[in-house]
Structure formats: structure tokens, C-alpha cells
Amino acid sequence: MLVTLVNVLTLATLWIAFLLLVGLFGLNAGMETRIWFWYAGLGLFSAVLCVIFSRRMAKWNMGVRVLTPTTAINDKEKWLLTTVHALASAAGLKQPPEVGIYESFEVNAFATGPSKAKALVAVSQGLLDHMSTENAGAILAHEVAHISNGDMVTMTWLQGGLNTMVLAPACVIARLVSSSANPHTRGAVYFLTFMCLQIFLSLFASLLVFYVSRQREFRADLDAAKILGTPRMRAGLESLSSVYGDVDDSSQALSTLRISGHSAQAFAALFVTHPPLQDRLSRLSDTDQGPASPADL
């Protein structure tokens, strides 16, 4: 609700500012208002759809096979189902998330869903094949923390709101610029200005999305440590170091909710969804929280 309120208030503030510009340039205020509300409605509506169908889209996009007590075919799959449910209970979730597996060589996991009560935790086959249950439990705790914190909805709303804040200003500014152009070239000037502004503004919008995503990763690590204890969470993250670069890029849309991603340095680090493992370990080193993990976790 807070993210929704921020989106609406930000759009309203920008709309008032652009109406002032429209008045200064003598454009049709009614036309600009209709354009603004069209893009605002489109952006927010698309965000709502993404939230509602996020779990279904993830299953289809990643080929997730959902596990149940009757469909878990081996001990690893039964352990996965039991552990996620136990972690969800420890995190205070009233409804355990769905649990699934997708075929991929990467050692990775993600969480998604429209709400805490309708969430999904999915892991790659590579995680089950190459990680010990002790370390895999830490990875699962991180994903359950994403659900507990509402990160899936927050990131989707943020992206939808920023998309609106890119399209609507780009449209209005392009109309302002093209209004003084020759009537024969006005359409071309509008199109080129609109496209260039989309690229330029999207660059800055993505910086905010990536920054928030990195902060949510730190938070999920800390909250997982409250459940399992800091030593076990550190061990789980350290176990990722040997596979941190092995990322399956076939579904970039889900990258913000995975346990890991590509490493980056210097300026490029601003454009990644996950902070470097060393930074995450350093954050954990600054705290010593959580009990020793229960035997069933």
C-alpha cells in the first residue's frame, strides 16, 4: 500500500509540473491530461496484472514442476518440500508457499507470487544436485524471507510505477519539443524525441530498481539469519562463491528475486540486481543474530 501511494503521489506531482509547462508553451491542457492519465493507467494496470499472474508466469516461463507430498518422487524433493514449509512457519507465514523445481544447470532459486499467501519458491535442479542440504537450507531461508518481506509485490509495483514515469513524461516532453517544429517534420521530431527520452529516462529508472533490489537482498540475508543463525547463513552464501558466475540467462525477468546473479565491478555494479557476495557476507559479519538452526531446518 505504501509503494502504491508513493506511485500515485509521484505521478500526481509530475502531472501538475507538466501542466505548468504545457501552459507556458500554450499546448492543449486537456489533451496532455488525457495522455498523462492514459499512460499512468496503463503503467499501473500492467503492474497489477504482473503481480496477479506472477506465480503463473514464473511456472510457465521457467517450466517449474510444483511439488506436493504425493508428487515428490525422491528424498531430496521430499526434503525440499518439508524444509520450505518449516521455514515458512518459522518466518511467520500463515500459508506455506508452493514449492517447485525447474530444470537448469545453475545453482539458484527464486521466489515470486502475488501475495504472502499465494507465493512460490522454486529451485533449480542444479541446486539440489550440487549443494548440501545444510547450505541449501540457507538459500531457501533467503527466498522465504523475500516472501515474508513482500519483496515480490514491492519490486513489481516499483517497476510498473517507474515505467509510467518514463512513458508519460517522455510523451509530454516530446509534444512540447515537436510543437515548434515544421508541420511536415513534426511527426518525425515527436517520434525521435519520444524514443530518445524513453531510453534516457529508462536508464535512470533502472538504477533505482537495481538499487532497491540490492537492498532487498541484504534484508533477506539478515532475516534468513534470524531464522537459521548467522554462521549457517554465512556458510550458505560462501557455498555460492564457486558457482556465482554460472547463471542461466534464459529468464532475465526473474533476476531480481534470485539468490544470486552476475558479479560486476565499478560503474557496472550499479546495473546489477544482486550485490557482490563479499558485500553480503560483510553485512552478515556486522551482526550475530538468530538462534542455532533447529534440526528440522
Side-chain angles (χ1 to χ4, degrees), residues 11-283:
L11 288 170
T13 303
L14 290 175
W15 173 57
I16 294 172
F18 278 108
L19 280 184
L20 294 176
L21 288 176
V22 166
L24 290 175
F25 283 86
L27 295 181
N28 186 335
M31 174 67 76
E32 305 311 319
T33 298
R34 287 192 293 271
I35 291 174
W36 189 273
F37 277 101
W38 163 255
Y39 278 116
L42 180 64
L44 295 179
F45 180 68
S46 65
V48 170
L49 288 181
C50 286
V51 169
I52 293 174
F53 294 105
S54 57
R55 184 170 58 166
R56 187 174 301 176
M57 290 167 59
K59 292 177 185 177
W60 175 79
N61 193 32
M62 303 292 289
V64 174
R65 177 169 59 89
V66 176
L67 300 179
T68 66
T70 56
T71 60
I73 59 177
N74 55 47
D75 290 342
K76 284 187 176 181
E77 293 184 0
K78 292 176 182 178
W79 169 86
L80 174 63
L81 187 64
T82 301
T83 301
V84 172
H85 286 182
L87 287 167
S89 178
L93 295 178
K94 296 180 180 179
Q95 180 72 25
E98 284 188 326
V99 182
I101 299 175
Y102 66 96
E103 293 295 331
S104 177
F105 62 84
E106 66 179 357
V107 176
N108 224 331
F110 68 86
T112 189
S115 68
K116 295 180 182 180
K118 296 182 179 180
L120 167 72
V121 172
V123 305
S124 66
Q125 187 63 48
L127 183 142
L128 291 182
D129 292 341
H130 302 297
M131 290 193 79
S132 67
T133 55
E134 186 81 4
N135 291 331
I139 304 306
L140 295 174
H142 174 97
E143 299 306 328
V144 169
H146 274 309
I147 298 173
S148 179
N149 294 333
D151 289 341
M152 304 92 65
V153 177
T154 298
M155 294 306 301
T156 304
W157 263 118
L158 178 63
Q159 185 67 67
L162 289 174
N163 287 343
T164 302
M165 294 170 202
V166 167
L167 290 173
C171 179
V172 175
I173 294 174
R175 283 179 59 81
L176 292 174
V177 172
S178 62
S179 63
S180 59
N182 186 293
H184 298 291
T185 61
R186 186 168 297 166
V189 171
Y190 172 84
F191 178 76
L192 290 175
T193 305
F194 183 62
M195 296 303 295
C196 290
L197 284 172
Q198 278 196 76
I199 296 172
F200 181 73
L201 294 175
S202 294
L203 178 66
F204 287 96
S206 64
L207 288 175
L208 178 58
V209 173
F210 294 146
Y211 171 77
V212 173
S213 178
R214 291 193 296 271
Q215 297 307 306
R216 302 315 294 174
E217 293 303 314
F218 287 131
R219 173 66 182 273
D221 288 341
L222 293 174
D223 286 348
K226 292 178 182 178
I227 299 174
L228 297 181
T230 300
R232 184 172 171 186
M233 193 61 209
R234 281 186 56 84
L237 289 179
E238 288 171 349
S239 69
L240 288 172
S241 60
S242 61
V243 295
Y244 200 60
D246 299 331
V247 178
D248 189 343
D249 289 322
S250 59
S251 295
Q252 286 291 321
L254 300 175
S255 61
T256 58
L257 293 179
R258 285 177 169 170
I259 185 66
S260 64
H262 289 299
S263 58
Q265 295 180 350
F267 182 70
L270 297 175
F271 294 89
V272 296
T273 59
H274 289 67
L277 275 176
Q278 191 56 49
D279 290 352
R280 295 168 68 177
L281 290 169
S282 296
R283 291 286 185 99

